[in-house]
Amino acid sequence: TQNNLTPKVMKESHPSFGFYLTKVKGLAPEYNQHSALDLKDIFSLTKAKLKASAQFNYMTDIPWLMKQYPAEYRSCPLLIVHGEQRGSKSALEKAASVFPNITLCNAKLEIMYGTHHTKMMLLLYDSGLRIVIHTANLIENDWFQKTQGIWISPLFPSLLGEQSAHRGNSATNFKGDLLEYLSFYNRPDIDEWCKHIKGHDLSNSSVFLIGSIPGRHLAERKTSFGHLKLRKVLNLHGPEKSLVTSSWPLIGQFSSIGSLGTDQNQWLCGEWLASLGTVKGCSLTSKTPLQLVFPTVNNVRESLEGYPAGTSLPYSINVAKKQPYLRNFLYQWKSDRLSRSHASPHIKTYLRVSPDNSSVAWFLLTSANLSKAAWGVLEKNGSQFMIRSYELGVLFMPQYLVSRKVFGVPEVKERKANMETISFPVPYDIPLIPYSNKDEIWIWDIPHIKAPDRHGNKWCPP
Ligand SMILES: CNc1ccc(C(=O)O)c(C(=O)O)c1
């Protein structure tokens, strides 16, 4: 297995490639036991002794987070990297002041409306370093009743000899890309963690890193981040165009949608789809079919949380009104195979699927929602690339994980996974279910009063 996880977590017949979902309270044990983790599980994957950790996130409930660490590790140095400003920054400082082992690091956000959205854990042990990249805020509400995604790295051993940015790298350049991403914070506390990363052997990390750093990126920097980084990786390492033709749909699944422009060809079906539709050797493909998974009002109403699930699905009416064309691409949230149709999605995933829904060419788990702020937008006639937010994700490519050209798609009724096609544990049901003509897209700042949710409440936002 890619990770030396204890067998209880890994279902041997179904390699997870380090990809897990969060546990959901109340599900039958089989849906939580194998490829589902909660934060306490993540901290107890190894017997090694934790020395220090760093938590990159958007929202952190410090007292709750501290309780998730095993008691013996609650005094280890903990760096919390956040993007809070003004009032919420002083609230975080106040909460942190109670814990002498906590250092706060404020990521700079110099472009309006940018957020520090990246969700990553760096866990330094006495015998190695583990990296976790995920989609959940460090608050209780994000960890027991939603569908969230987690990538767990192997426990990377220390490098023998002096630390180095160049030794202990992998064919996917994961170590190099992670150090480049972290260097852009330009923060001494993060530079200290770069030394730890340089001192470890990440040569068996078999995923690609796709990050976003706020800024107006020029020249070769344009392809270091956002959708242009994904375009570059797919161009160099992606599937063969003879196999993955432009008839293979691109599925985007996310928990928020930004302002994408009044014409779909400006950004969504323009530069963004051109990047995600890229295959080896060429980038500008003819139109790739686009399928977007975002919950309907009914999906939210029928969720475990009921309408309040919608507070983590911040799609506003003023943005929705400007882009009615999205309706043509929309599919419901449905995850019956994993018993998570009612665990509202806060996970964000993107994948390329074959027209017959049997194969997956690649799979991306990321913090990036469907927005220009997260993925970047070309400006000044393509000479600069503007990103507003910090984002981080990992790209799973079959050639690098199972030396196959494609992954299989898990059957809803799981047959014994035959080994010639190794399926990727896609967190929602394929084929996708389109919106019915009565379905409406979830919008969080308008009333939903046609029917009550499972708690008997309707939705009347302030
Ligand atoms: C404006 N702030 C946020 C917008 C969307 C999301 C999301 O992930 O859907 C998050 C977050 O939960 O990190 C924050």
Side-chain angles (χ1 to χ4, degrees):
T1 59
Q2 193 221 9
N3 294 293
N4 46 7
L5 297 176
T6 43
K8 73 174 168 58
V9 178
M10 286 275 293
K11 202 161 130 191
E12 290 315 317
S13 67
H14 185 28
S16 75
F17 312 115
F19 174 64
Y20 298 88
L21 300 180
T22 47
K23 280 178 175 164
V24 175
K25 272 202 171 50
L27 294 190
E30 80 215 67
Y31 296 109
N32 273 334
Q33 242 147 31
H34 298 299
S35 340
L37 299 169
D38 60 27
L39 200 38
K40 291 185 175 177
D41 293 329
I42 292 174
F43 290 136
S44 38
L45 289 175
T46 173
K47 296 277 173 288
K49 190 173 175 342
L50 187 74
K51 308 296 284 176
S53 64
Q55 295 284 356
F56 293 66
N57 216 298
Y58 171 72
M59 219 183 290
T60 303
D61 172 345
I62 290 180
W64 175 81
L65 171 63
M66 294 307 288
K67 288 196 208 84
Q68 309 317 304
Y69 281 82
E72 64 270 28
Y73 297 144
R74 287 175 195 162
S75 53
C76 290
L78 165 58
L79 177 67
I80 296 177
V81 181
H82 65 92
E84 302 291 3
Q85 297 168 324
R86 295 178 296 278
S88 51
K89 178 178 175 185
S90 35
L92 195 69
E93 285 163 346
K94 188 163 176 291
S97 63
V98 177
F99 299 95
N101 61 312
I102 291 182
T103 304
L104 296 180
C105 174
N106 196 339
K108 55 186 182 306
L109 281 164
E110 289 156 347
I111 299 181
M112 285 282 283
Y113 309 116
T115 59
H116 184 261
H117 211 225
T118 287
K119 296 171 173 72
M120 171 166 63
M121 308 182 198
L122 302 175
L123 307 173
L124 181 64
Y125 293 94
D126 52 4
S127 61
L129 172 73
R130 192 190 300 282
I131 296 169
V132 180
I133 293 174
H134 62 104
T135 64
N137 288 290
L138 295 171
I139 61 175
E140 183 170 25
N141 196 52
D142 265 31
W143 284 86
F144 71 99
Q145 57 189 346
K146 295 179 182 291
T147 300
Q148 302 271 17
I150 307 171
W151 171 71
I152 308 256
S153 82
L155 187 65
F156 297 122
S158 303
L159 260 187
L160 304 176
E162 83 292 351
Q163 55 174 257
S164 154
H166 309 290
R167 289 191 309 117
N169 203 345
S170 62
T172 63
N173 191 38
F174 182 83
K175 180 172 181 175
D177 285 349
L178 180 60
L179 288 169
E180 179 189 42
Y181 171 83
L182 292 172
S183 70
F184 272 81
Y185 282 84
N186 200 12
R187 289 284 187 272
D189 291 316
I190 294 178
D191 294 341
E192 281 306 299
W193 275 96
C194 288
K195 290 179 190 163
H196 294 317
I197 294 165
K198 287 173 186 167
H200 284 82
D201 176 359
L202 280 66
S203 53
N204 71 351
S205 48
S206 36
V207 294
F208 291 85
L209 190 75
I210 309 290
S212 290
I213 290 283
R216 290 177 175 84
H217 304 292
L218 306 169
E220 74 286 342
R221 224 17 123 230
K222 287 194 299 188
T223 60
S224 295
F225 308 114
H227 75 71
L228 291 183
K229 168 67 181 290
L230 183 50
R231 184 183 297 195
K232 178 172 73 176
V233 170
L234 290 172
N235 210 347
L236 293 173
H237 308 278
E240 300 291 334
K241 59 185 170 198
S242 54
L243 173 64
V244 177
T245 63
S246 60
S247 67
W248 285 50
L250 187 278
I251 298 179
Q253 175 275 315
F254 35 80
S255 60
S256 179
I257 307 170
S259 189
L260 308 176
T262 49
D263 167 6
Q264 66 189 49
N265 295 311
Q266 271 163 347
W267 182 81
L268 180 67
C269 298
E271 65 184 78
W272 186 79
L273 185 56
S275 288
L276 276 79
T278 295
V279 290
K280 191 176 283 182
C282 71
S283 63
L284 301 175
T285 59
S286 61
K287 287 298 161 232
T288 300
L290 179 60
Q291 301 174 350
L292 301 176
V293 178
F294 188 77
T296 64
V297 171
N298 247 1
N299 292 160
V300 177
R301 186 176 67 79
E302 291 167 349
S303 72
L304 294 168
E305 301 165 78
Y307 286 122
T311 59
S312 300
L313 297 161
Y315 188 33
S316 75
I317 183 66
N318 291 334
V319 175
K321 274 188 308 198
K322 293 186 291 182
Q323 46 205 36
Y325 57 78
L326 270 187
R327 177 84 213 200
N328 308 321
F329 304 103
L330 292 173
Y331 291 79
Q332 303 195 41
W333 170 258
K334 181 169 169 291
S335 180
D336 288 352
R337 181 177 70 86
L338 296 170
S339 189
R340 281 172 167 80
S341 293
H342 298 144
S344 183
H346 192 254
I347 188 172
K348 296 94 173 138
T349 62
Y350 301 80
L351 65 82
R352 197 82 196 268
V353 67
S354 57
D356 69 358
N357 287 311
S358 71
S359 307
V360 167
W362 53 262
F363 180 91
L364 173 68
L365 170 71
T366 176
S367 62
N369 283 304
L370 186 64
S371 75
K372 295 178 184 175
W375 284 98
V377 56
L378 283 163
E379 295 181 332
K380 298 211 164 98
N381 207 16
S383 66
Q384 83 181 18
F385 189 49
M386 194 272 281
I387 298 175
R388 295 182 192 274
S389 296
Y390 293 85
E391 307 283 354
L392 201 58
V394 287
L395 177 67
F396 301 84
M397 291 270 226
Q399 310 91 304
Y400 287 83
L401 285 153
V402 289
S403 46
R404 296 280 194 298
K405 290 190 183 313
V406 292
F407 295 117
V409 169
E411 314 277 329
V412 178
K413 282 170 286 313
E414 190 76 40
R415 276 201 314 266
K416 180 97 185 76
N418 47 19
M419 290 315 266
E420 65 269 10
T421 61
I422 296 169
S423 64
F424 192 90
V426 176
Y428 42 79
D429 296 344
I430 289 179
L432 300 177
I433 305 295
Y435 276 33
S436 74
N437 52 26
K438 289 194 298 298
D439 275 315
E440 306 153 69
I441 191 166
W442 169 259
I443 290 173
W444 77 330
D445 52 0
I446 60 171
H448 298 289
I449 54 175
K450 282 185 194 147
D453 64 19
R454 67 175 63 207
H455 306 294
N457 300 320
K458 298 185 177 178
W459 185 252
C460 306

